[in-house]
Amino acid sequence: PEQYVTLDSTTKIDGEYSVRIDVDNTNAWVVQQIPVEYGKTYRVSGWIKTDLDEGFGIISTHCYNSNRDMLPPTCGLDNYAAERRVYGETDWTYYMFDVAADMTLAAYLQVECYAAPSSTATGSVWCDNFVVEEVGKQPDESCFAHCPDGTPSGYCAHIFGGSPTDYCEQGVIVD
């Protein structure tokens, strides 16, 4: 939402600006979608700073297909996102993590600097110097079965219970 996002020339790591997200009993974010290739791993890094009374700031990722529709939450999912939540008043903190474009339909990785909601949250989140770089192929995935839409079927079974093939056949995960 544009009304919550500004360029800040005074609070920054380096360069001319950081991005500042101001929240007042709402949530807001800044995103960029970067082209990716199936089967490759990408390293996301950046700086985040917060001055919030409630809620948190976070760097997160999601995958999108070529039509820019969000894919199921397995693609681009970083299992440690909760550990990157930045609460309260926190000085600049650097984060770096890897994510895999692990669905055949993945065309874009969306990187987000996000001020997460709280019904009474007010304050600011700053983000600076985000970088996304390819770091190679993801680990051998011969142990993973995939649904026809490219979703790892092990995820279907892990989240919903049952066998992976049950969920591919029932179409629980669809485009």
Side-chain angles (χ1 to χ4, degrees), residues 33-53:
Q33 291 185 349
I34 295 133
V36 294
E37 293 180 40
Y38 168 71
K40 292 191 176 178
T41 298
Y42 297 85
R43 178 156 297 141
V44 178
S45 61
W47 293 84
I48 189 167
K49 171 185 171 85
T50 59
D51 184 6
L52 297 166
D53 62 352

Side-chain angles (χ1 to χ4, degrees), residues 40-148:
K40 292 191 176 178
T41 298
Y42 297 85
R43 178 156 297 141
V44 178
S45 61
W47 293 84
I48 189 167
K49 171 185 171 85
T50 59
D51 184 6
L52 297 166
D53 62 352
E54 287 189 34
F56 56 88
I58 191 169
I59 300 170
S60 61
T61 59
H62 297 286
C63 283
Y64 286 73
N65 65 20
S66 60
N67 294 324
R68 301 199 187 240
D69 299 318
M70 188 187 307
L71 295 173
T74 55
C75 184
L77 178 67
D78 167 40
N79 292 327
Y80 300 101
E83 294 176 12
R84 282 194 313 281
R85 292 180 180 179
V86 183
Y87 294 89
E89 186 175 335
T90 305
D91 201 6
W92 287 107
T93 306
Y94 181 77
Y95 289 98
M96 180 175 63
F97 56 97
D98 293 348
V99 293
D102 57 0
M103 293 181 68
T104 55
L105 296 177
Y108 297 96
L109 179 68
Q110 179 167 295
V111 179
E112 306 165 348
C113 178
Y114 190 60
S118 171
S119 61
T120 59
T122 58
S124 300
V125 173
W126 290 264
C127 298
D128 204 355
N129 288 3
F130 277 34
V131 175
V132 177
E133 59 188 334
E134 181 184 322
V135 291
K137 295 274 186 189
Q138 68 187 60
D140 179 13
E141 61 177 336
S142 59
C143 61
F144 297 103
H146 284 78
C147 299

Side-chain angles (χ1 to χ4, degrees), residues 13-29:
I13 290 293
D14 61 23
E16 289 189 53
Y17 304 100
S18 67
V19 172
R20 186 180 75 225
I21 304 169
D22 297 311
V23 292
D24 186 8
N25 302 325
T26 187
N27 62 340
W29 56 92

Side-chain angles (χ1 to χ4, degrees), residues 139-168:
D140 179 13
E141 61 177 336
S142 59
C143 61
F144 297 103
H146 284 78
C147 299
D149 69 354
T151 304
S153 58
Y155 173 80
C156 305
H158 173 72
I159 298 300
F160 301 109
S163 78
T165 53
D166 291 342
Y167 288 96
C168 289

